[in-house]
Amino acid sequence: MSSRLDSRSLALFLAVADTLSFRQAAETLHLSQPPLSRAIRELEERLGTRLFDRGTTGVSLTEAGRTLLPYARGVAKLLRDAEASLARPELPATLRLGLTTAVEPAWFAGLRDRIEAAHPGTAVSTVSETSPRLVRQLRGGKLKAAVIALPTEAAGLDVLELDRLPMRVAMSSAHRLARRKVVRLDDLGGEPVFWFERARQPAFFDHCQHVFTRHRFVPRWLKEPADHHVLLAEVAHGRGLALLPSSFAGLRRAGVVYRTLAEGDELAVGVGLAVPAGQHALRDQLIACLGIAARGK
């Protein structure tokens, strides 16, 4: 007697359940939407129950769908674990790794040496770029893996969050707020604040704008220099404040102090490891070299 469930059907179900969008799920799976919708309907017919409610306001899981979801995740994990157990432990002879410029370089300190020490047959080269450009290079096969800032649009890639870096405020040591240990966005209203252009990191830019809107934060925006040493020089001279991930606090500059931002966690930059879909063995080997317990692994 044939089973009404199979791994492919569960994978399709999970893709829709994770996005609650047939369109986004189809993009992730590299399918057109009609075959995906048809496959889900056929699965529902085999099971004799609806898994999704499809309405004008969107897609939601039915009670049956919510019941199936943890089992589907368990099967997917078993398959990943089985694949990883059979994977060759060696990395490629040459590993081209992308590193986001949204995180201060000290976060990556020693990474190349750790990878090469753990895999003596591998030569590692790194590329520092904005996360959207790293994603494009990864999709184009020019990189084997990339550490990117989150959120970043990365459909079709396997992305695992490794860390979250709260936003902090860099200001001149002579600034009126420099004596405080914690400042709020309300304290910065009307101040000149350096901020990056949307083209550099669209998804993260939009995320931050939502937070700013929610807190009615309206400073005087200044164009942020791409070079962070130039940016800190501007801050030291009192030309404006800067909102930066906490990793940048390691960049010391005379005349600049870093202060905790009360809303820093809301504006936090995620750090994720991105690899081509299905490259779980490569991902897990790199995570081991990073020495970080990945979130949600």
Side-chain angles (χ1 to χ4, degrees):
M1 180 178 177
S2 61
S3 172
R4 291 177 293 173
L5 286 172
D6 58 79
S7 59
R8 181 177 183 277
S9 295
L10 288 176
L12 299 179
F13 164 74
L14 268 179
V16 179
D18 285 341
T19 60
L20 293 179
S21 165
F22 280 86
R23 179 186 60 78
Q24 291 182 33
E27 290 177 356
T28 300
L29 295 165
H30 303 290
L31 296 173
S32 60
Q33 187 171 333
L36 174 60
S37 299
R38 188 161 55 249
I40 295 296
R41 282 198 303 272
E42 291 171 356
L43 174 61
E44 291 174 326
E45 289 171 3
R46 292 200 303 273
L47 295 176
T49 184
R50 286 186 302 104
L51 300 173
F52 297 98
D53 282 326
R54 305 157 175 84
T56 56
T57 58
V59 177
S60 61
L61 285 163
T62 63
E63 183 177 351
R66 290 192 294 272
T67 299
L68 178 60
L69 185 57
Y71 293 102
R73 292 199 193 285
V75 170
K77 184 178 186 303
L78 283 173
L79 291 173
R80 288 197 302 270
D81 291 347
E83 180 182 330
S85 70
L86 298 173
R88 289 170 56 99
E90 298 86 2
L91 289 178
T94 57
L95 178 67
R96 191 167 169 83
L97 179 65
L99 304 177
T100 177
T101 53
V103 176
E104 204 279 321
W107 195 93
F108 306 109
L111 175 57
R112 181 192 301 180
D113 292 341
R114 292 199 299 275
I115 295 174
E116 292 183 343
H119 302 272
T122 297
V124 180
S125 63
T126 58
V127 176
S128 295
E129 264 292 3
T130 64
S131 296
R133 289 181 178 176
L134 292 177
V135 166
R136 288 195 293 272
Q137 292 185 42
L138 193 52
R139 285 172 174 157
K142 296 180 179 179
L143 297 174
K144 293 291 186 181
V147 181
I148 62 175
L150 302 176
T152 293
E153 190 285 314
L157 301 178
D158 182 343
V159 181
L160 192 63
E161 185 173 284
L162 305 173
D163 200 1
R164 284 184 66 78
L165 305 175
M167 199 70 74
R168 301 189 70 181
V169 185
M171 64 179 70
S172 165
S173 55
H175 194 277
R176 62 182 178 84
L177 298 173
R179 293 185 179 181
R180 298 190 187 182
K181 291 183 178 180
V182 180
V183 296
R184 309 185 66 85
L185 288 176
D186 279 349
D187 301 323
L188 309 181
E191 291 275 352
V193 175
F194 289 103
W195 196 237
F196 62 96
E197 294 180 297
R198 186 179 185 277
R200 281 173 55 189
Q201 188 79 16
F204 183 64
F205 182 95
D206 293 344
H207 161 72
C208 291
Q209 288 304 119
H210 288 310
V211 177
F212 294 152
T213 299
R214 187 164 62 246
H215 288 278
R216 297 183 175 85
F217 177 52
V218 186
R220 290 188 286 123
W221 295 116
L222 303 175
K223 182 179 178 181
E224 181 182 284
D227 187 311
H228 286 98
H229 293 282
V230 175
L231 170 63
L232 292 181
E234 294 287 285
V235 170
H237 285 96
R239 297 190 178 100
L241 311 176
L243 302 179
L244 295 169
S246 56
S247 64
F248 282 92
L251 275 180
R252 299 298 177 183
R253 210 292 184 181
V256 176
V257 295
Y258 297 90
R259 293 295 176 257
T260 299
L261 180 65
E263 298 85 0
D265 285 335
E266 296 179 62
L267 293 164
V269 178
V271 183
L273 177 63
V275 297
Q279 295 291 320
H280 303 119
L282 172 62
R283 179 198 66 187
D284 292 345
Q285 290 162 23
L286 290 175
I287 287 172
C289 294
L290 281 161
I292 293 173
R295 294 170 180 259
K297 185 183 175 188

